[in-house]
């Protein structure tokens, strides 16, 4: 069944209150979020290689939609839902996952796939209620490939790496689009918005910007599933995904843990085992 | 408006500005991003035919992303306040588009309403805007819908346009522009009138989205503070404020005090109405507690409130908010849609 048909049936049978999916965008290379409340509206849903957004954001952010929510979910987006279930932000029964097979997405008119798609190992979501189409074969997880982009940065001498990041952060205007687009950045009060005491300076100067990106990366350690939304929405083209990738790599090397794989697993930073690596505790 | 023929090409004109010791700000690629920055060599600039518009508008040169406004310190337990004098030098911004230049006369009104913002005004006086007319547009451009054209001179000190043969002409559209022109008469030649008007600007105007019915929009907004349409938009909006931060006319700011030991600075930072903390009262009450109210504020401010107060639209159709929106919540679609159906799409 096409995702439209699935959405229509779900709304007709009232199994869900709304379906969140994609519809045609107003400009080339973009798709628009569509929140359908009636079966008729479901006809407008589409799914193609421009369906970049991680719609799991609508489970945690901003506007509370009536539950249960039908959601268009790609493989990478499903990892987010796993994370949200692990962290008790979403109940499994409140989300009806319309699984979508995805061979990579793009925002570029020349069709070049996003970086994350080149090393994707979840073309078919691992978690769904209904899958549109037949599951497609998967590429195995390859650590060396996965972190290739990061290795280029890590190979830089420390001064050069510092200069690279300071130049990148220099562009930051502190719009917090990275936070707002992140489905796992769901704190009701963000640390950067706290004023008494003020932990992180909100001004877009070197100290403020460094502190902000630093703390966000730490807060996502072992949690970020690498959907890449922060980097996609950053109009200043700051390679934010690299920061999260660095944390993911550390967590993988220390604990052999990959975020967004197992909803029953305990995230390593909330868990303790006797055999945990302790070399960094002095 | 006096018209001068440039005896040089665009790049050479920039070069002459630099050689004569002007501080020049122009679109340049910085860390993979097209931004206005001060340049030291003409090799750093991106030529106008290679961009539609910069990622950020030119507003940050009058209204910086962050700037100190007051200096304070504690001496012997006494608070001492000192005015902070910004270092402002004369500079030339070249290569901005008519939509960016047109934003300044719009926000001049708010920065001079009741309180006159000395910081903004000082920079405004010291900055010369050399605008370049648009020979191309993309799907997000809608300047003609809000009263601007690809070759409008509003807000510019000098507007550069090409004739059909590809020669540049400078239209000195302000006193400041006239003064700059007088310093460069060796490369400029005054002409009476441009005879071969280049059709490319008309063609560009035809590429941008068709006009909005501004009066109808205003009328709808006047009557629909409460309307289910706002819930639909609010439900889609992520509240990321990319629109406000990239907008050449959005001008809201936050005031923060930053202190180290006994010395500190009070800073004025860009802020946006899309954030929940923007309207959070110290009592804990928040009049714009949900995103639909915040999204409504954005549309109302642009097309109604600013119009009520200053008789101007707080939008120049640059299209940045459309290009940057992560969920493609397109303000043009929204305001053209509400007048037709109450809810667009």
């Amino acid at each position: 069944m096409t995702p439209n048909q699935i959405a229509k049936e779900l709304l007709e049978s009232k199994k869900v209150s709304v379906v969140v999916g994609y519809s045609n965008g107003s400009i080339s290379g973009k798709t628009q979020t569509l929140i359908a409340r009636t079966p008729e509206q479901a006809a407008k849903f589409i799914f193609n290689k421009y369906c970049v957004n991680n719609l799991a954001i609508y489970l945690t952010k901003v506007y509370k939609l009536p539950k249960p929510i039908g959601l268009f979910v790609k493989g990478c987006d499903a990892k987010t839902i796993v994370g949200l279930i692990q962290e008790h932000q979403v109940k499994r029964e409140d989300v009806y996952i319309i699984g979508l097979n995805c061979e990579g997405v793009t925002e570029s008119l020349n069709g070049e796939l996003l970086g994350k798609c080149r090393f994707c190992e979840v073309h078919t979501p691992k978690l769904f209620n209904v899958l549109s189409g037949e599951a497609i074969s998967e590429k195995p997880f390859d650590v060396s490939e996965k972190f290739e982009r990061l290795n280029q940065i890590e190979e830089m001498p420390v001064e050069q790496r510092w200069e690279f990041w300071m130049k990148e952060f220099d562009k930051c205007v502190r719009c917090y689009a990275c936070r707002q687009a992140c489905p796992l950045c769901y704190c009701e009060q963000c640390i950067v918005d706290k004023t008494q005491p003020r932990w992180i300076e909100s001004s877009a100067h070197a100290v403020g910007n460094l502190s902000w990106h630093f703390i966000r990366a730490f807060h996502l350690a072992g949690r970020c599933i690498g959907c890449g939304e922060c980097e996609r929405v950053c109009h200043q083209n700051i390679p934010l995904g690299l920061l999260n990738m660095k944390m993911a790599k550390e967590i993988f090397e220390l604990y052999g843990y990959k975020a967004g794989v197992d909803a029953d697993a305990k995230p390593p930073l909330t868990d303790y085992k006797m055999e945990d690596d302790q070399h960094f505790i002095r | 408006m006096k018209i001068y023929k440039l005896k040089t090409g665009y790049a050479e004109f920039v070069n002459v500005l630099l050689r004569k010791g002007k501080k020049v700000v122009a679109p340049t690629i910085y860390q993979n991003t097209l931004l206005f920055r001060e340049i030291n060599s003409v090799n750093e600039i991106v030529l106008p035919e290679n961009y539609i518009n910069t990622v950020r508008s030119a507003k940050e040169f009058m209204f910086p992303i962050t700037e100190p406004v007051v200096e304070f310190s504690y001496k012997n337990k006494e608070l001492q306040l000192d005015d902070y004098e910004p270092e402002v030098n004369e500079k030339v911004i070249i290569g901005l588009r008519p939509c960016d230049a047109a934003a300044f006369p719009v926000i001049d009104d708010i920065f001079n309403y009741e309180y006159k913002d000395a910081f903004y005004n000082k920079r405004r006086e010291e900055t010369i805007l050399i605008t370049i007319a648009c020979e191309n547009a993309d799907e997000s451009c809608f300047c003609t819908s809000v009263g601007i054209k690809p070759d409008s001179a509003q807000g510019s000190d000098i507007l550069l346009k090409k004739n059909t043969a590809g020669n540049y002409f400078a239209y000195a559209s302000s006193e400041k522009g006239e003064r700059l022109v007088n310093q460069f008469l060796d490369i400029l030649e005054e002409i009476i009138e441009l005879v071969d008007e280049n059709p490319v600007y008309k063609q560009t105007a035809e590429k941008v989205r068709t006009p909005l019915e501004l009066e109808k929009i205003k009328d709808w907004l006047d009557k629909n503070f409460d309307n289910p349409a706002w819930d639909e938009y609010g439900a889609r909006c992520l509240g990321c404020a990319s629109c406000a931060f990239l907008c050449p006319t959005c001008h809201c700011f936050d005031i923060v005090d930053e202190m180290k030991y006994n010395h500190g600075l009070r800073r004025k930072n860009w802020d946006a109405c899309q954030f929940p903390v923007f309207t959070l009262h110290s009592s804990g009450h928040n009049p714009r507690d949900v995103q639909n109210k915040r999204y409504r504020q954005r549309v109302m401010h642009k097309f109604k409130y600013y119009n009520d107060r200053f008789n101007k639209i707080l939008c120049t159709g640059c299209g940045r908010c459309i290009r940057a929106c992560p969920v493609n919540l397109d303000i043009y679609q929204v305001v053209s849609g509400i007048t037709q159906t109450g809810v667009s799409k």
Side-chain angles (χ1 to χ4, degrees):
Chain A
M1 274 205 291
T2 65
N4 300 39
Q5 289 167 331
I6 297 171
K8 186 163 174 268
E9 278 191 22
L10 287 174
L11 287 162
E12 268 167 356
S13 63
K14 298 202 166 32
K15 266 192 191 158
V16 297
S17 307
V18 290
V19 176
V20 182
Y22 308 96
S23 64
N24 280 319
S26 66
I27 55 176
S28 313
K30 295 244 186 194
T31 52
Q32 203 161 73
T33 305
L34 173 63
I35 299 171
R37 294 166 200 267
T38 63
E40 295 72 45
Q41 288 171 316
K44 280 187 185 166
F45 281 124
I46 56 158
F47 184 67
N48 60 33
K49 65 176 176 185
Y50 297 115
C51 297
V52 176
N53 301 19
N54 180 351
L55 298 176
I57 187 83
Y58 290 99
L59 298 175
T60 54
K61 267 286 154 60
V62 185
Y63 191 93
K64 303 288 177 242
L65 290 167
K67 286 165 186 149
I69 302 170
L71 200 68
F72 276 40
V73 173
K74 307 187 293 290
C76 46
D77 309 338
K79 290 187 189 173
T80 316
I81 300 175
V82 168
L84 292 172
I85 293 170
Q86 265 178 313
E87 295 178 7
H88 307 286
Q89 296 304 309
V90 173
K91 287 194 187 120
R92 181 65 189 89
E93 61 270 25
D94 286 343
V95 51
Y96 193 97
I97 302 174
I98 304 170
L100 305 163
N101 289 309
C102 170
E103 303 207 44
V105 288
T106 179
E107 276 201 310
S108 134
L109 292 181
N110 66 26
E112 194 192 332
L113 297 184
L114 292 189
K116 64 167 180 175
C117 303
R118 287 188 284 136
F119 314 118
C120 177
E121 78 271 6
V122 280
H123 295 298
T124 298
K126 293 282 180 277
L127 187 71
F128 57 80
N129 293 76
V130 55
L131 183 68
S132 171
E134 294 293 316
I136 47 183
S137 66
E138 300 297 356
K139 214 170 114 180
F141 180 80
D142 181 333
V143 184
S144 60
E145 265 191 355
K146 192 90 182 168
F147 301 123
E148 184 193 80
R149 196 173 144 227
L150 182 64
N151 295 341
Q152 293 170 4
I153 304 290
E154 296 212 295
E155 278 162 17
M156 288 180 185
V158 69
E159 296 80 16
Q160 195 188 338
R161 200 159 68 222
W162 175 256
E163 195 193 353
F164 169 82
W165 283 113
M166 290 315 278
K167 276 185 171 169
E168 288 295 339
F169 294 155
D170 182 31
K171 293 182 292 181
C172 179
V173 295
R174 302 299 282 281
C175 69
Y176 307 120
C178 46
R179 171 188 75 186
Q180 292 304 109
C182 174
L184 286 155
C185 248
Y186 51 68
C187 292
E188 291 228 338
Q189 191 179 26
C190 177
I191 188 169
V192 78
D193 289 336
K194 270 197 80 82
T195 51
Q196 286 180 329
R198 166 71 76 185
W199 299 106
I200 298 174
E201 288 162 338
S202 61
S203 309
H205 48 42
V207 176
N209 289 358
L210 179 69
S211 319
W212 163 244
H213 290 290
F214 206 74
I215 204 85
R216 209 183 92 82
F218 270 92
H219 279 186
L220 285 163
R223 306 175 55 233
C224 170
I225 57 89
C227 73
E229 284 291 84
C230 51
E231 185 161 334
R232 177 179 79 88
V233 303
C234 181
H235 32 77
Q236 306 304 314
N237 303 321
I238 304 172
L240 296 167
L242 282 173
L243 295 175
N244 299 325
M245 198 187 278
K246 170 68 180 162
M247 302 317 289
K249 189 183 171 197
E250 293 287 322
I251 295 288
F252 182 73
E253 287 174 355
L254 284 170
Y255 306 106
Y257 178 86
K258 287 187 284 174
V261 175
D262 178 4
D264 296 321
K266 270 202 153 189
L269 297 188
T270 61
D271 196 15
Y272 175 77
K273 289 194 191 84
M274 285 309 285
E275 62 272 25
D276 279 346
D277 187 341
Q278 299 184 8
H279 81 275
F280 50 85
I281 302 170
R282 281 169 215 175
Chain B
M1 205 187 311
K2 282 190 183 169
I3 309 174
Y4 300 84
K5 182 179 177 188
L6 252 74
K7 294 177 193 166
T8 68
Y10 179 82
E12 184 51 27
F13 180 53
V14 175
N15 213 359
V16 173
L17 289 171
L18 284 167
R19 272 211 308 272
K20 290 216 176 167
K22 297 284 174 204
K23 268 169 110 70
V24 179
V25 169
T28 181
I29 300 281
Y30 178 72
Q31 299 292 104
N32 295 319
T33 310
L34 183 67
L35 297 172
F36 282 108
R37 288 177 71 89
E38 194 178 327
I39 54 155
N40 299 310
S41 145
V42 69
N43 300 327
E44 295 169 41
I45 67 164
V46 177
L47 293 172
E49 49 268 36
N50 296 329
Y51 62 91
I52 299 288
N53 222 332
T54 49
V55 171
R56 297 207 294 255
S57 78
K59 79 174 171 190
E60 68 191 68
F61 292 91
M62 317 297 171
F63 168 39
I65 305 167
T66 176
E67 73 170 324
V69 288
V70 174
E71 208 173 343
F72 58 91
S73 54
Y74 286 97
K75 278 180 193 148
N76 306 323
K77 293 185 180 170
E78 287 286 313
L79 176 66
Q80 189 186 323
L81 293 177
D82 294 300
D83 282 344
Y84 190 89
E85 283 299 323
E87 203 193 312
V88 179
N89 303 308
E90 189 195 78
K91 65 169 84 71
V92 176
I93 304 182
I94 189 165
L96 74 166
R97 296 299 184 185
C99 49
D100 271 12
F104 292 114
V106 176
I107 57 174
D108 281 347
D109 289 3
I110 189 75
F111 283 112
N112 289 283
Y113 176 73
E114 291 179 345
Y115 179 77
K116 298 203 182 322
D117 189 312
F119 297 88
Y120 174 88
N121 286 329
K122 184 141 193 240
R123 290 198 176 86
R124 195 78 172 89
E125 280 159 28
E126 295 291 330
T127 308
I128 296 163
L129 301 173
I130 307 183
T131 307
I132 183 117
C134 298
E135 291 175 49
N136 207 351
D138 72 10
E139 297 164 282
S140 302
C141 294
F142 64 100
C143 64
T144 54
S145 302
V146 286
I148 296 156
K149 286 190 295 183
D151 58 345
S152 292
Q154 59 211 72
S156 305
D157 297 306
I158 294 172
L159 172 73
L160 294 178
K161 277 172 79 169
K162 265 187 202 165
N163 68 357
T164 32
N167 300 113
Y168 274 103
F169 290 82
Y171 291 67
S173 44
S174 75
E175 235 177 79
K176 260 191 289 178
E178 203 50 64
R179 276 205 303 273
L180 186 88
V181 159
N182 286 331
Q183 295 168 39
F184 292 89
L185 288 174
D186 49 335
I187 57 158
L188 297 161
E189 176 192 334
E190 190 175 342
I191 59 163
I192 306 303
E193 138 188 63
L194 192 63
V195 274
D196 55 341
E197 186 70 39
N198 197 333
V200 72
Y201 302 115
K202 233 184 197 151
Q203 289 158 10
T204 306
E206 282 159 14
K207 276 187 208 165
V208 310
R209 299 190 191 186
T210 49
L212 288 171
E213 294 173 279
L214 294 173
E215 276 174 31
K216 234 171 131 180
I217 292 166
K218 171 76 166 62
D219 185 53
W220 191 90
L221 293 174
D222 283 340
K223 294 171 191 150
N224 287 283
F225 187 78
D226 289 310
N227 188 296
W230 301 121
D231 297 346
E232 285 306 308
Y233 304 133
R236 280 196 258 154
C237 178
L238 301 184
C240 80
S242 294
C243 46
F245 278 70
L246 298 184
C247 177
T249 62
C250 273
H251 52 259
C252 288
F253 56 82
D254 185 24
I255 297 286
V256 297
D257 290 345
E258 290 180 355
M259 215 174 154
K260 200 174 179 185
Y261 306 120
N262 56 1
H263 173 259
L265 288 172
R266 173 162 292 182
R267 288 179 163 270
K268 178 173 145 196
N269 293 341
W270 281 6
D271 202 355
C273 54
Q274 301 307 299
F275 298 141
V277 289
F278 186 77
T279 45
L280 181 63
H281 297 181
S282 53
S283 66
H285 173 64
N286 193 343
R288 291 187 211 134
D289 52 348
V290 285
Q291 194 57 31
N292 40 356
K293 294 182 186 171
R294 298 192 280 266
Y295 188 73
R296 172 179 65 196
Q297 168 62 23
R298 179 169 171 80
V299 178
M300 286 278 183
H301 197 185
K302 300 240 160 262
F303 293 93
K304 171 176 158 54
Y305 305 147
Y306 210 80
N307 197 343
D308 286 340
R309 183 167 288 169
F310 299 116
N311 202 19
K312 284 177 183 169
I313 302 292
L314 194 61
C315 171
T316 62
C318 74
R320 286 188 180 85
C321 55
I322 299 174
R323 289 178 206 109
C325 182
V327 297
N328 191 225
L329 184 54
D330 180 323
I331 197 161
Y332 184 95
Q333 262 186 344
V334 169
V335 292
S336 53
I338 47 178
T339 54
Q340 287 157 19
T341 57
V343 182
S344 93
K345 281 193 86 172

